[in-house]
Amino acid sequence: MSKTVRLGIAGLGTVGVGVVKIIRREAAMLRARTGQEITISAVSARTRDKDRGVSLKGYDWEDDPVALATREDVDVFVELMGGSDGPAKAATEAALKAGKDVVTANKAMLAVHGQDLAVLAESHGQVIRYEAAVAGGIPVVKSLVEGLAGNQITRVMGVMNGTCNYILTRMESAGLPYETVFEEANQLGYLEADPELDVGGIDAGHKLAILAASAFGTQVNFGAMELEGIGRLTIEDIRAAADMGYRIKLLGVAQMTGRGLEQRMSPCLVPAASPLGQLEGGTNMVVLEGDAVEQIVLRGPGAGEGPTASAVMADICDIARGVRLPVFGQPAETLAPATGAKSTSPAAYYLRMMLDDKPGALAKVATVLGEAGISIYRMRQYDHSGDGAPVLIVTHRTSRDALDRALGAMDRTGVVDGSPVAIRIEEV
Ligand code: NAP
Ligand code: HSE
């Protein structure tokens, strides 16, 4: 057996450069840990003569990632370009067909094409590893697929987009509106090239869809994800939630129900004192629940050069050590199609609305809720000067259908100004 694992690395941006640095800096340690020499045969990026802050001396250059992926002297193709389709997908497919293993950080590609790529990999006897694709430096895929292999997974939950968590926690700590903090995040370079991937919940949704496949033995089905971003959240909601003992998080929840797989990525209230509630800044947290283990909580950096390269290296080391697992924890052909189920698990809801400050207004709102079968758990009305009274209501657990019925009827009360804000309160 060869004592060398030869890499072809496509993508020399934040993550690619981090990987090159570790391989150059830690050659002896990696050899000691894997029993293999880990070397780089060739690299690829868009621009050849860019200073990347790391020496590329000794590595061949390929303009075309597909040519890189299929080189004779490449054993493992490391895809760090990004994008669900285009060169990332073309080169990954080419690598697998040419008998190479693949390591990638590309959640978009796996969320959209994960099942087809897994089938392709396994039909060629190759592996695809993707620890860096979900929650950056946190070894969550390994924890789920290996550490919890003996569990029926009951729920996967987490904050998996550091940019959104930065925006929400910064809005609260600095008392700034969404637009200001969004611009701040932009200046700090936190936002993806297309910011909607972050603030629209898509990036985090990709990650949750990937985890759900291994958790529930189903084919990745990002299309069935219920998605809502953080763009409509206001500083008023953040303050009001805090006042009631909650924090607002862009929270992903996946669970298998009798009706199918519920997957949602949306703003939720969580208790401020819970581990998720205490998560600050760009940090990620993933909560895994299984019938035997009960609950484990993983917390760490979800992005950045070092943390993401750390996860890529873990995959490369596993391949060098001879660890060969099915892409999603069981053979892709045995994964069941994931029937997407609309979230109907009952929950308490936070409602914020502006009421006309006149006799009977509150009673009309209470009646609408009561007629939909919704019971009020807590309520607060704040000091105000004008004609509008800001009112917060926390309901008892109710179904989303009942809530939608009540929200639909609010208009008819004639006392609610605009549409009430409704946010699910997740039990964590
Ligand atoms: P990045 O900084 O934008 O780097 C992308 C790299 O890919 C650049 O080197 C670029 O070349 C190269 N590239 C793009 N299109 C190419 C093409 N058609 N042919 C050859 N090379 C091409 O991205 P990144 O942040 O490193 O992210 C890479 C992957 O890791 C993505 O899938 C991302 O979602 C994932 N990821 C990133 C993080 C993070 O913290 N950054 C965390 C988790 C996962 P040039 O440099 O010449 O432009
Ligand atoms: N844009 C992502 C985040 C980093 O903010 O968490 C890459 O996964």
Side-chain angles (χ1 to χ4, degrees):
M1 186 180 163
S2 157
K3 283 292 194 188
T4 305
V5 174
R6 301 162 302 171
L7 309 178
I9 301 180
L12 294 169
T14 306
V15 186
V17 162
V19 170
V20 173
K21 282 182 186 168
I22 294 178
I23 290 169
R24 293 184 77 87
R25 192 176 69 227
E26 303 294 355
M29 180 190 78
L30 296 170
R31 188 187 318 116
R33 289 184 177 171
T34 65
Q36 304 279 330
E37 203 75 48
I38 296 177
T39 64
I40 300 172
S41 298
V43 295
S44 177
R46 265 180 308 223
T47 322
R48 186 168 184 166
D49 52 4
K50 205 189 243 183
D51 177 6
R52 299 179 187 273
V54 67
S55 172
L56 301 176
K57 208 165 150 226
Y59 314 145
D60 286 353
W61 179 273
E62 292 280 359
D63 285 326
D64 177 7
V66 173
L68 174 77
T70 52
R71 280 172 66 114
E72 281 290 318
D73 60 357
V74 165
D75 303 309
V76 179
F77 174 59
V78 185
E79 187 284 303
L80 302 173
M81 295 177 286
S84 61
D85 292 84
K89 177 166 175 272
T92 297
E93 288 172 344
L96 295 171
K97 287 177 189 164
K100 325 287 185 186
D101 292 326
V102 171
V103 173
T104 180
N106 191 334
K107 56 260 175 178
M109 178 174 76
L110 291 173
V112 179
H113 302 294
Q115 176 65 16
D116 289 347
L117 290 173
V119 168
L120 181 64
E122 290 164 21
S123 68
H124 285 79
Q126 304 308 133
V127 299
I128 304 175
R129 300 291 301 240
Y130 53 90
E131 187 63 76
V134 184
I138 304 177
V140 58
V141 177
K142 204 173 195 37
S143 300
L144 182 61
V145 171
E146 297 178 54
L148 301 183
N151 284 258
Q152 289 280 355
I153 301 298
T154 47
R155 188 164 66 155
V156 175
M157 198 164 44
V159 169
M160 299 182 221
N161 184 277
T163 305
C164 288
N165 204 54
Y166 168 82
I167 291 175
L168 295 175
T169 53
R170 174 90 178 129
M171 282 171 73
E172 181 173 358
S173 63
L176 292 169
Y178 173 81
E179 292 73 19
T180 309
V181 180
F182 177 91
E183 193 41 44
E184 221 177 71
N186 194 22
Q187 295 300 325
L188 288 166
Y190 289 180
L191 289 162
E192 301 270 348
D194 173 4
E196 194 52 25
L197 289 174
D198 284 318
V199 298
I202 299 163
D203 167 82
H206 284 155
K207 295 167 184 168
L208 183 65
I210 294 169
L211 284 186
S214 294
F216 304 110
T218 48
Q219 299 174 9
V220 187
N221 188 354
F222 173 67
M225 175 86 46
E226 290 177 58
L227 265 189
E228 186 189 331
I230 63 168
R232 76 186 172 98
L233 296 174
T234 64
I235 184 70
E236 285 75 25
D237 289 315
I238 288 175
R239 284 193 183 123
D243 192 34
M244 304 285 257
Y246 297 104
R247 289 253 159 73
I248 303 183
K249 299 289 171 193
L250 178 67
L251 188 71
V253 181
Q255 57 197 348
M256 187 56 80
T257 70
R259 296 165 295 102
L261 180 63
E262 279 188 14
Q263 310 176 97
R264 59 178 178 276
M265 182 60 67
S266 58
C268 289
L269 268 67
V270 296
S274 65
L276 280 163
Q278 291 176 35
L279 194 67
E280 296 288 334
T283 311
N284 282 197
M285 184 173 282
V286 184
V287 179
L288 302 173
E289 294 174 349
D291 60 347
V293 75
E294 298 179 1
Q295 185 184 73
I296 66 167
V297 179
L298 302 164
R299 178 184 189 281
E305 179 184 304
T308 314
S310 158
V312 172
M313 287 311 304
D315 285 340
I316 293 171
C317 287
D318 261 4
I319 290 174
R321 287 166 164 154
V323 177
R324 302 191 72 74
L325 298 170
V327 179
F328 294 109
Q330 65 185 65
E333 298 287 6
T334 68
L335 293 167
T339 311
K342 188 168 175 286
S343 288
T344 53
S345 318
Y349 282 85
Y350 153 102
L351 306 176
R352 181 171 64 82
M353 61 191 80
M354 194 64 89
L355 294 192
D356 290 350
D357 195 359
K358 61 185 186 194
L362 209 46
K364 286 184 180 164
V365 169
T367 301
V368 161
L369 290 172
E371 282 172 356
I374 299 173
S375 175
I376 295 172
Y377 172 55
R378 293 162 70 190
M379 223 199 69
R380 206 163 276 187
Q381 178 170 310
Y382 291 96
D383 282 351
H384 54 283
S385 45
D387 293 339
V391 168
L392 290 186
I393 293 174
V394 173
T395 72
H396 276 287
R397 278 159 63 88
T398 182
S399 70
R400 181 74 220 191
D401 281 351
L403 185 80
D404 287 342
R405 271 201 313 280
L407 292 175
M410 286 294 173
D411 228 16
R412 294 201 298 272
T413 62
V415 296
V416 180
D417 185 14
S419 303
V421 174
I423 308 178
R424 186 181 169 97
I425 301 176
E426 199 65 46
E427 284 171 24
V428 296

